[in-house]
Amino acid sequence: MKENVAEEHLYLAFSHQYRDSIFPLHTSISLFLLSYCDCKLFKVFLVPTGEDVGDQCVTKNLAGDLEVHLISRCQLPVVVQSCSLPAVVVKDDKFCRAGLSVVLRHIIQKTFEADPSKKDVLALLGFKKTCLKACAEVSQWTRLCEISIPLAVERFLTASPEHCQAIPPDILLFERKLGEPVRVHNDDKIRRQKLQQQKAGTKTGVPVLGEEAAEELKPGEVPEHPPSSLELSVAFSKLLAQEAPDAINREAPHIRRTKTSDLPLLDHVFAEGLYFTVADLVLLPCIHQFLVSSKKQGKNLVNLPLISSWYRRVQEVPGVKKAAGKCNMALLQLPELTSAPEEQLHDSASVPDELEEDNEDSHFIGGPRPTMTKLMENGIEAKFSPHPCPNWTLDWTSLPSAVSPGEGKMSRDRALRKQQQLNNLVAAVTKLAKPGDLIVDFCSGGGHVGIVLAYMMPSCQVVLIENKELSLIRAKDRSDELGLNNIWFIQANLDYFNGAFNIGVALHACGVATDMVIEHCLRARAAFVISPCCYGFIQNTVKFKYPRSRQFKEILSYKEHMILCRFADQTAVQLPPERRLIVCALVIIILEWPFCSASHRR
């Protein structure tokens, strides 16, 4: 166990307590993970969303050895006040982590750093440590776990009886996903083992419980639902840090010669596939509340056989029942349901896929040139204007080395191009900014833009927002080297930043992220200076449908818009001069700025 780990403050929202959970559910989920990890590294603060909340009311039903403190919103550190909760910050520091997935992943990482023997905790992050790492704005799975299911359950619990008869669509979507084939690293080997087991007509033996699991069982007691398939054996062998049984490790020659396409598919054991991850710990408090409420209302859970099996199975994971006991979660003992009836299959099939594209387009003519001609015939074409600050440039030789983008771990050639890009952005921001302005560098990466702005404009406050932790840590190290006092760092998705600001900046926010930044700036009535990139990655998402503007929708189909995006995503310097102009024109056109955005000037 490492000593002298810096104490961090964890801020959780508190609206009310219902049965054995604290709401919003993001707070119950965070407390449940702390209990599961047996983590005491954080000083926990509850931030009431209302005024009529007393100390005793909040703390009397919380986990036994978990100390919590009440704090009002106005007492939060300034950097936290701009973020949605949960949020974590080191006391008196300028580095904040906000949003459920970011905070939970940080709790897991800090727990392991403090005690490297807790490898089971680190394993919650999954293969390559990527579980719930992708932003909810672009990942359906992260969105389902982090946003959709918690909100669906909260609405279900607060709805009137006549409005909560149907199972929420997001719960049905989770049921459907549990029925999808599992794809994991090295799944070819496991699928061959499954084929061998099927041909032998045998079932893999139950792995012997490890010490951790034995602590929760009485002498001579076995799990209530022991593993009875190869998937379960593989999952629990890893969970209990054991080697898979010998029968699993050997393959007959005819099994090795079987084509991959002829191998049986793998079934879900846990939420993400074969292995227990933080996604299961996120979903358990939510599904638990849904099941408890459904049971009290006398609802039949026959439509959710896979969720019921998952709920029972998660309870057998070492540490889950203990953590549930600490959080006063009285886990249900559900009966086993064999298979889904026809109406369940119909309900699951009817779950709308929000990201499904409209592939039927009878007017699609194909190619960038016909599409651009179509735009021009309707009065839309790119307009080029002179550079607003043609003579403005930064004297990089006179600036400290930590200001240079070369300090952000990039090649010399790339650093030179980055300096040229920064010249343009900083010139535009300098023209817009006035003393006291708050400037937000969205998708900041290693802080190339934000650090230059903070250094060049000490009278302005600069906030760097980035989802990737390592990039933001590098930015903070450079800032500390420069001794900057007018800069904050927020590791979060864009949606978790809700503070007021005056100017938004984004250099190379990839694909849809540029539209997200523009929307954020328009909502805050802030000026913005943006240089987009990766137009080829633009596609319909939960938040955005393309084309975005009414005028473009009347002229272009989705496919035609995507053709322009793909063609614009080229390196213009590699093209002949006449084709460079086409690419530049496409970049201007596909952004639709004159049609769907206000001016970037205040």
Side-chain angles (χ1 to χ4, degrees):
M1 182 81 174
K2 293 184 179 180
E3 302 295 335
N4 300 322
V5 178
E7 181 186 63
E8 299 190 31
H9 291 185
L10 171 61
Y11 299 97
L12 304 171
F14 176 80
S15 59
H16 66 285
Q17 190 162 344
Y18 180 70
R19 297 195 184 113
D20 52 8
S21 286
I22 293 176
F23 287 77
L25 280 172
H26 279 192
T27 296
S28 283
I29 293 167
S30 303
L31 293 173
F32 183 68
L33 179 67
L34 287 172
S35 296
Y36 178 83
C37 296
D38 192 24
C39 178
K40 306 293 194 306
L41 302 174
F42 299 87
K43 187 173 183 179
V44 181
F45 294 87
L46 292 183
V47 185
T49 57
E51 298 179 357
D52 301 327
V53 180
D55 251 339
Q56 189 174 3
C57 171
V58 176
T59 59
K60 66 179 181 181
N61 291 320
L62 286 179
D65 57 353
L66 181 62
E67 184 179 0
V68 296
H69 309 269
L70 279 179
I71 186 173
S72 65
R73 185 89 193 178
C74 63
Q75 294 175 298
L76 291 173
V78 179
V79 65
V80 179
Q81 291 184 26
S82 298
C83 301
S84 297
L85 304 182
V88 171
V89 65
V90 177
K91 185 179 180 181
D92 300 327
D93 201 6
K94 299 175 289 185
F95 196 112
C96 174
R97 294 172 173 86
L100 183 66
S101 293
V102 167
V103 168
L104 297 186
R105 288 176 56 83
H106 181 64
I107 290 173
I108 291 168
Q109 290 167 340
K110 295 301 290 186
T111 300
F112 178 72
E113 288 174 10
D115 186 356
S117 68
K118 292 186 175 181
K119 294 182 179 179
D120 57 320
V121 172
L122 185 64
L124 293 173
L125 297 180
F127 181 63
K128 291 188 176 179
K129 311 296 180 286
T130 57
C131 183
L132 301 186
K133 186 176 182 178
C135 301
E137 293 91 345
V138 298
S139 167
Q140 280 184 289
W141 177 246
T142 301
R143 186 175 185 85
L144 184 69
C145 296
E146 182 179 43
I147 299 174
S148 302
I149 285 184
L151 284 178
V153 172
E154 289 176 2
R155 291 169 184 153
F156 182 82
L157 295 177
T158 56
S160 57
E162 61 271 17
H163 290 115
C164 64
Q165 296 299 316
I167 297 173
D170 292 304
I171 301 294
L172 288 177
L173 180 57
F174 180 41
E175 173 76 13
R176 188 178 74 181
K177 286 189 173 294
L178 288 175
E180 294 175 353
V182 171
R183 293 196 62 84
V184 295
H185 173 66
N186 202 24
D187 65 352
D188 182 85
K189 179 179 179 180
I190 302 174
R191 289 169 65 189
R192 292 183 189 280
Q193 295 162 357
K194 183 174 183 178
L195 177 62
Q196 178 167 293
Q197 182 190 84
Q198 291 176 346
K199 287 185 176 295
T202 60
K203 292 189 175 180
T204 308
V206 180
V208 180
L209 289 174
E211 293 180 4
E212 184 182 1
E215 292 178 2
E216 294 192 10
L217 300 176
K218 298 176 181 178
E221 188 178 10
V222 297
E224 185 176 346
H225 304 287
S228 58
S229 70
L230 182 134
E231 288 95 332
L232 284 168
S233 295
V234 170
F236 274 82
S237 293
K238 179 177 179 179
L239 198 59
L240 303 177
Q242 296 178 342
E243 293 293 329
D246 291 340
I248 292 181
N249 293 323
R250 290 193 299 267
E251 297 173 7
H254 69 283
I255 299 296
R256 291 196 294 270
R257 291 193 296 268
T258 303
K259 294 181 179 179
T260 301
S261 58
D262 295 332
L263 296 175
L265 299 174
L266 299 178
D267 299 322
H268 273 261
V269 177
F270 296 110
E272 287 204 337
L274 294 186
Y275 306 121
F276 185 73
T277 67
V278 65
D280 295 282
L281 294 175
V282 169
L283 293 169
L284 181 59
C286 303
I287 299 299
H288 169 71
Q289 283 298 324
F290 168 75
L291 293 175
V292 169
S293 181
S294 297
K295 187 176 180 182
K296 286 185 176 294
Q297 296 177 29
K299 293 183 183 299
N300 193 338
L301 299 176
V302 70
N303 284 0
L304 303 173
L306 300 180
I307 287 180
S308 298
S309 296
W310 168 83
Y311 180 78
R312 293 195 311 275
R313 194 173 298 128
V314 168
Q315 294 185 44
E316 302 305 326
V317 173
V320 167
K321 287 184 177 179
K322 183 177 180 181
K326 286 183 178 180
C327 295
N328 295 318
M329 284 175 56
L331 297 174
L332 302 176
Q333 299 302 314
L334 299 179
E336 186 170 353
L337 303 176
T338 54
S339 61
E342 290 297 323
E343 60 266 25
Q344 188 272 332
L345 295 175
H346 174 74
D347 287 342
S348 292
S350 66
V351 175
D353 188 349
E354 294 177 294
L355 302 185
E356 186 175 351
E357 297 174 6
D358 181 8
N359 292 319
E360 303 204 358
D361 181 13
S362 58
H363 302 292
F364 178 62
I365 54 179
R369 288 184 183 275
T371 305
M372 289 188 68
T373 301
K374 189 175 180 181
L375 288 171
M376 293 175 67
E377 289 173 349
N378 285 273
I380 297 176
E381 57 182 305
K383 298 291 186 183
F384 296 91
S385 58
H387 195 296
C389 310
N391 299 319
W392 197 96
T393 184
L394 284 168
D395 182 7
W396 293 99
T397 59
S398 67
L399 299 177
S401 60
V403 176
S404 171
E407 293 296 303
K409 310 298 181 186
M410 64 173 62
S411 68
R412 182 176 179 178
D413 288 344
R414 189 180 171 209
L416 178 59
R417 292 198 303 272
K418 188 69 69 175
Q419 287 178 349
Q420 295 167 347
Q421 296 159 5
L422 293 175
N423 280 339
N424 291 322
L425 264 74
V426 174
V429 175
T430 302
K431 193 171 182 179
L432 288 169
K434 60 183 185 296
D437 275 356
L438 194 148
I439 304 169
V440 179
D441 179 10
F442 292 99
C443 306
S444 65
H448 305 308
V449 177
I451 288 175
V452 175
L453 291 175
Y455 185 83
M456 298 296 297
M457 291 182 280
S459 62
C460 295
Q461 182 70 37
V462 179
V463 181
L464 274 60
I465 300 179
E466 169 61 45
N467 188 55
K468 295 177 182 176
E469 182 181 33
L470 293 180
S471 297
L472 209 55
I473 289 174
R474 284 200 298 268
K476 187 177 187 303
D477 290 342
R478 292 169 61 194
S479 170
D480 291 344
E481 182 181 340
L482 292 165
L484 298 177
N485 295 315
N486 61 328
I487 189 168
W488 295 332
F489 305 86
I490 299 176
Q491 184 195 352
N493 299 344
L494 292 184
D495 284 346
Y496 285 104
F497 176 78
N498 51 27
F501 60 101
N502 305 103
I503 303 173
V505 181
L507 175 59
H508 295 170
C510 289
V512 179
T514 289
D515 283 309
M516 293 169 57
V517 172
I518 292 175
E519 182 191 57
H520 226 77
C521 294
L522 293 176
R523 194 165 56 234
R525 303 184 67 82
F528 55 86
V529 180
I530 294 173
S531 175
C533 78
C534 299
Y535 322 104
F537 290 148
I538 291 176
Q539 60 182 340
N540 283 343
T541 67
V542 172
K543 294 190 62 138
F544 297 121
K545 297 292 185 291
Y546 293 91
R548 294 196 61 205
S549 65
R550 179 181 57 80
Q551 187 167 359
F552 267 50
K553 286 178 181 176
E554 292 173 352
I555 301 171
L556 295 183
S557 69
Y558 175 72
K559 282 186 178 179
E560 289 170 331
H561 189 271
M562 290 301 101
I563 285 290
L564 296 184
C565 293
R566 304 301 184 266
F567 189 75
D569 200 8
Q570 300 184 47
T571 305
V573 293
Q574 298 173 353
L575 301 174
E578 67 276 7
R579 296 198 70 189
R580 293 184 195 177
L581 283 178
I582 296 176
V583 173
C584 292
L586 283 172
V587 170
I588 296 172
I589 289 171
I590 64 174
L591 292 173
E592 305 178 56
W593 286 356
F595 306 100
C596 64
S597 333
S599 170
H600 74 280
R601 300 176 187 273
R602 284 180 290 171

